[in-house]
Amino acid sequence: MDVKDLRIDANPTLVREHALAKLRAAIASGLYPPGKRLVERELCEALGVSRTSVREALRQLQAEGLIEAGPRRNISVAHVSAQDARDIYDLRALIETDAVRRLVENDDCEVIKSLQGMAKTIRKIVRKGDIPALAEQAAALYETILEGSGSRIIAETGKQLLKRVSYLRLASMSAPQRLDDGMAEWDAIIDAIVARDAKAAMSAVRSHIVNSRDTILATFEAPTKAE
Amino acid sequence: MDVKDLRIDANPTLVREHALAKLRAAIASGLYPPGKRLVERELCEALGVSRTSVREALRQLQAEGLIEAGPRRNISVAHVSAQDARDIYDLRALIETDAVRRLVENDDCEVIKSLQGMAKTIRKIVRKGDIPALAEQAAALYETILEGSGSRIIAETGKQLLKRVSYLRLASMSAPQRLDDGMAEWDAIIDAIVARDAKAAMSAVRSHIVNSRDTILATFEAPTKAE
DNA sequence: TCATGTATGCTGTCATACAATATGCGAATG
DNA sequence: CATTCGCATATTGTATGACAGCATACATGA
């Protein structure tokens, strides 16, 4: 064992970061749906931390666009309009196709192998039909592709967009036929990457995102909800 | 005068937002150069506000990527490596060409007129050689184009990238020949927009950004500084 | 019924306090 | 004289309590 291995790099998890993660998860899971008003004291109680930490987490969420301030100083979970959703997916298409192109050009076997692994994991989850787990794994796959671009900037920017639609992604995946189609699309992406075919990978990513977008937009038109 | 005119919509400027703006400006102007360590108490004193407000502003800057946390809990102004700069400009090229395409397609006379006005203002500033003012106006021009896309998402994402290079833009504009070249490029962009020629506008934007990028990257190679 | 006053709730801001950790300085030691 | 140890100091992370300014809801009175 090397001295390097003694290194402690995991910071003792800042309370505010913990709070941030919990709040993000609450929004992504739909526990706090768009428009839900967030009252600081309630969050303090729910999270078991002080207002100081909650407020700092809120500022960060605000900067990320996941929550927004109303006219009366109220904070609520950000609404994502159909137009916003469309714009986010279109921008993702731009950015992620670029990311995957770079990824293929970088030709990093490490990354590509891990992508193959993730595809396998996803296939398993799809068979089980565990939607929440699938949403999480899918996000991980997208993030891996973004990071595979080798560009910190692309990765950060792309991930920020992903966070803004994490709630929607759950809805998208609940559409019946979408699961199988999605799996096929993921396979196409991975296959193209493995074949080091940048053009095919770009086009596979683009159609996957466009299909996801259209699925999401369909849910906007059908207001659902038989409550 | 109408009752509407009585409306007070300017929120009494939150202290934390004021602090945020000041800090951003300090970073953009080079007063706080990359790597500069930011000590909370010093900021409190300099800004004349409490630690609470400073900290909330810092969290926001952190989310925007303008500052970063070191291994020792220290906060300092984010370094922008040459690679980062290249990536930011390349991503800007992607996003802003898309923005200008949408802008032309939207065909909003209001926006186009205001762009022409800004180009005129810029020309005046260029003649005076007032670099800081120019940097500000140029940023305003880019932001107008981004907003002209009609997409909140594109506008926000693009602006975030702009903020991350505001410090570099100052350097870029100090390059001797760059001023005139830049002016010509801006003219080309505006002309294409006025002519409602989306393709030409996109290519004008792309070459402008690529040229800016290359100017910046040149300053990275020549470490400058005759201090 | 309507208008006014009052209680209540929430956010924004500040001041303090304290623990944990990092830093720097000086003293003790070989 | 060089090293090491230990202590004072600096800085951040977090919690608490306080209070003003608004906004809302409620009650009261004409």
Side-chain angles (χ1 to χ4, degrees), chain B residues 135-152:
Chain B
E136 198 173 332
Q137 258 321 102
L141 179 66
Y142 299 138
E143 290 184 8
T144 304
I145 291 177
L146 285 166
E147 274 160 9
S149 72
S151 160
R152 194 163 62 97

Side-chain angles (χ1 to χ4, degrees), chain A residues 35-52:
Chain A
K36 159 88 178 177
R37 180 164 170 202
L38 300 178
V39 178
E40 292 179 3
R41 294 201 190 158
E42 290 173 6
L43 299 180
C44 292
E45 256 185 68
L47 294 166
V49 303
S50 75
R51 247 183 103 204
T52 311

Side-chain angles (χ1 to χ4, degrees), chain A residues 89-109:
Chain A
Y89 277 83
D90 287 347
L91 190 48
R92 272 188 62 194
L94 263 189
I95 294 179
E96 293 183 31
T97 52
D98 197 52
V100 83
R101 181 183 56 74
R102 284 160 165 263
L103 185 152
V104 170
E105 283 168 6
N106 292 345
D107 193 17
D108 180 338
C109 293

Side-chain angles (χ1 to χ4, degrees), chain A residues 123-218:
Chain A
R123 199 187 315 275
K124 251 183 268 177
I125 296 178
V126 165
R127 266 199 288 274
K128 280 195 294 183
D130 182 349
I131 305 283
L134 180 57
E136 198 174 330
Q137 257 322 104
L141 179 66
Y142 299 139
E143 289 183 9
T144 304
I145 290 178
L146 285 166
E147 273 160 9
S149 72
S151 160
R152 194 164 63 97
I153 302 298
I154 289 183
E156 287 174 16
T157 307
K159 284 197 230 171
Q160 196 159 0
L161 291 175
L162 283 175
K163 283 182 206 152
R164 295 180 79 155
V165 286
S166 47
Y167 172 57
L168 292 177
R169 195 149 49 236
L170 268 183
S172 158
M173 289 177 173
S174 305
Q177 183 53 28
R178 186 66 194 135
L179 271 191
D180 296 326
D181 290 353
M183 194 66 241
E185 290 163 16
W186 281 316
D187 282 338
I189 294 172
I190 303 292
D191 287 348
I193 291 175
V194 170
R196 306 297 195 276
D197 183 342
K199 267 196 180 173
M202 290 175 74
S203 119
V205 166
R206 192 179 349 263
S207 34
H208 173 60
I209 294 180
V210 167
N211 288 339
S212 303
R213 179 196 72 184
D214 292 341
T215 306
I216 294 282
L217 289 178

